[in-house]
Amino acid sequence: MQTNPTYNSLVAVGDSFTEGMSDLLPDGSYRGWADLLAGRMAARTPGFRYANLAVRGKLIGQMVDEQVEVAAAMQADVITLVGGLNDTLRPKCDMVRVRALLTEAVERLAPSCKQLVLMRSPGRQGPVLERFRPRMEELFAHVDELAAKHGAVVVDLYGAPSLRDPRLWDVDRLHLSAEGHRRVAEAVWQTLGYDPEDTEWRTPMPVTLPPGWTSRRVADARFARQHLLPWIGRRLTGRSSGDGRPAKRPDLLPYEETVE
């Protein structure tokens, strides 16, 4: 990997993780690691262009159908692709199909850019991760294989101790906090070959006393009411939180024209 490379454009493909949930801005929109990364890259390269095609809730098949061809046509220097995790969290998941679709996406995107970036997504400590860990690790093993075959780089967030900490996740327990997204942006930045701005992004946060039993039960009840039950309802009815939503930043435009 070249040290401090010069890239003129970035296109992000993905779901809610790449859209930036839950790095909430005052105006109600989401920022996230991809926006943070684009800002850093733009600071080094005048005229830097950025598009973010991510939409929350998307499965890998939807990314292939709705985002991959659009991203490939943009001919960006860097494309990030993070997908398939939503599939692994479904009660019924055909991992053979997920692997095939991810392969299709990589085979289309890799030749269309200078550098394709793949990820091993972060995993929050807790029962959800343990339940779906075998599927996730099968997905990540395939990511590694595809990267080796097609010259992509892999950002290993799954293996980062810091990102397992529940304090770096939002109250919905599915999306990273602002600090979590900042660390992901740093991870991608370094993987692309830029000099580190935070050499300790992998380092866990200082240990603090865990919340008491009552606080945990209150948090569990709030989580179930506000996030878990609506999520289950969408699964049962075949709906998605991303239904009808447009891409976050659909056009590859100069960064200063799309991000304040």
Side-chain angles (χ1 to χ4, degrees), residues 60-78:
I60 185 62
Q62 293 170 311
M63 293 181 201
V64 170
D65 291 342
E66 301 166 13
Q67 299 180 31
V68 167
E69 288 299 324
V70 177
M74 290 178 174
Q75 296 287 303
D77 286 352
V78 177

Side-chain angles (χ1 to χ4, degrees), residues 6-11 41 45 48-49 74-79 112-116 192 252:
T6 299
Y7 292 121
N8 295 307
S9 52
L10 167 68
V11 174
M41 297 172 77
T45 307
F48 183 86
R49 297 177 300 152
M74 290 178 174
Q75 296 287 303
D77 286 352
V78 177
I79 297 178
S112 73
C113 63
K114 291 182 179 178
Q115 185 60 67
L116 179 62
L192 284 171
L252 186 61

Side-chain angles (χ1 to χ4, degrees), residues 1 28 42 59 87 99 102 112 121 132 149 159 180 195 198 204 219 226 231:
M1 180 62 62
L59 303 174
D87 298 79
R99 292 196 306 271
L102 186 60
S112 73
S121 302
F132 296 106
K149 183 176 180 179
D195 289 337
D198 175 10
Q226 296 181 355
W231 183 83

Side-chain angles (χ1 to χ4, degrees), residues 5-258:
T6 299
Y7 292 121
N8 295 307
S9 52
L10 167 68
V11 174
V13 174
D15 52 29
S16 59
F17 175 67
T18 302
E19 184 184 342
M21 296 174 71
S22 292
D23 185 5
L24 190 64
L25 294 172
D27 66 358
S29 64
Y30 293 108
R31 180 176 53 181
W33 65 266
D35 285 11
L36 292 169
L37 176 66
R40 287 193 189 186
M41 297 172 77
R44 289 178 173 262
T45 307
F48 183 86
R49 297 177 300 152
Y50 170 52
N52 189 326
L53 306 179
V55 178
R56 67 194 68 174
K58 293 300 182 181
L59 303 174
I60 185 62
Q62 293 170 311
M63 293 181 201
V64 170
D65 291 342
E66 301 166 13
Q67 299 180 31
V68 167
E69 288 299 324
V70 177
M74 290 178 174
Q75 296 287 303
D77 286 352
V78 177
I79 297 178
T80 64
L81 168 63
V82 189
L85 196 62
N86 281 337
D87 298 79
T88 69
L89 299 178
R90 295 287 177 116
K92 295 181 180 180
C93 174
D94 182 350
M95 287 302 298
V96 173
R97 181 173 182 272
V98 171
R99 292 196 306 271
L101 287 165
L102 186 60
T103 299
E104 181 180 347
V106 170
E107 289 178 346
R108 183 67 186 91
L109 292 173
S112 73
C113 63
K114 291 182 179 178
Q115 185 60 67
L116 179 62
V117 178
L118 306 177
M119 291 192 198
R120 294 161 57 93
S121 302
R124 181 185 187 277
Q125 288 180 335
V128 172
L129 176 63
E130 293 308 314
R131 178 180 178 184
F132 296 106
R133 186 187 296 275
R135 290 180 185 174
M136 293 170 61
E137 294 187 347
E138 181 179 346
L139 175 69
F140 298 155
H142 192 55
V143 165
D144 290 341
E145 293 169 0
L146 289 172
K149 183 176 180 179
H150 295 280
V153 294
V154 178
V155 185
D156 185 14
L157 306 174
Y158 183 69
S162 62
L163 295 177
R164 300 173 192 158
D165 191 324
R167 291 172 295 174
L168 288 180
W169 294 74
D170 187 52
V171 293
D172 68 1
R173 305 181 184 182
L174 287 174
H175 301 106
L176 289 170
S177 66
E179 173 61 16
H181 279 283
R182 185 197 67 78
R183 293 185 184 223
V184 172
E186 178 66 32
V188 183
W189 174 262
Q190 292 184 26
T191 302
L192 284 171
Y194 293 102
D195 289 337
E197 295 187 9
D198 175 10
T199 58
E200 302 298 323
W201 74 267
R202 288 177 172 269
T203 303
M205 297 173 65
V207 176
T208 59
L209 290 175
W213 185 90
T214 300
S215 296
R216 295 199 303 271
R217 298 295 78 77
V218 170
D220 288 344
R222 183 184 304 115
F223 161 71
R225 182 177 64 255
Q226 296 181 355
H227 303 288
L228 180 59
L229 292 178
W231 183 83
I232 292 173
R234 291 194 296 270
R235 299 292 81 76
L236 293 175
T237 58
R239 294 177 294 118
S240 168
S241 57
D243 288 346
R245 287 185 177 272
K248 181 178 183 179
R249 304 184 189 280
D251 300 311
L252 186 61
L253 297 174
Y255 178 84
E256 61 271 18
E257 292 186 11
T258 59

